Amino acid sequence: MTALFNFQSLLLVILLTICTSTYAHYVFPGIMDRNKDNYVVGVFWKCARVGERLSPYVSLACLIMGASKFLGQW
């Protein structure tokens, strides 16, 4: 089943995209800031902004998703 049809998997993909984009922006800020108007890189730039500004909530959501995946296997 793809992530589009499973809501929990879709949320997991979105959270991983936000976390990865935030880390990539931290490591390579010039590349993302230069191309923020580009459609493809612009989406990742916006995800990085969400990750930077809402980092406590994003990390809490990652912990909840990780716990739900872990407890779902038991």
Side-chain angles (χ1 to χ4, degrees), residues 44-65:
F44 294 114
W45 182 81
K46 290 175 186 173
C47 288
R49 288 291 169 216
V50 168
E52 290 171 356
R53 294 181 181 177
L54 299 176
S55 61
Y57 299 111
V58 170
S59 60
L60 182 66
C62 287
L63 287 173
I64 290 171
M65 290 297 289

Side-chain angles (χ1 to χ4, degrees), residues 17-44:
T17 304
I18 289 171
C19 293
T20 305
S21 298
T22 304
Y23 179 74
H25 186 262
Y26 176 74
V27 174
F28 304 112
I31 294 173
M32 292 184 98
D33 288 339
R34 238 188 348 250
N35 297 319
K36 67 181 177 182
D37 295 330
N38 187 353
Y39 180 72
V40 176
V41 181
V43 171
F44 294 114

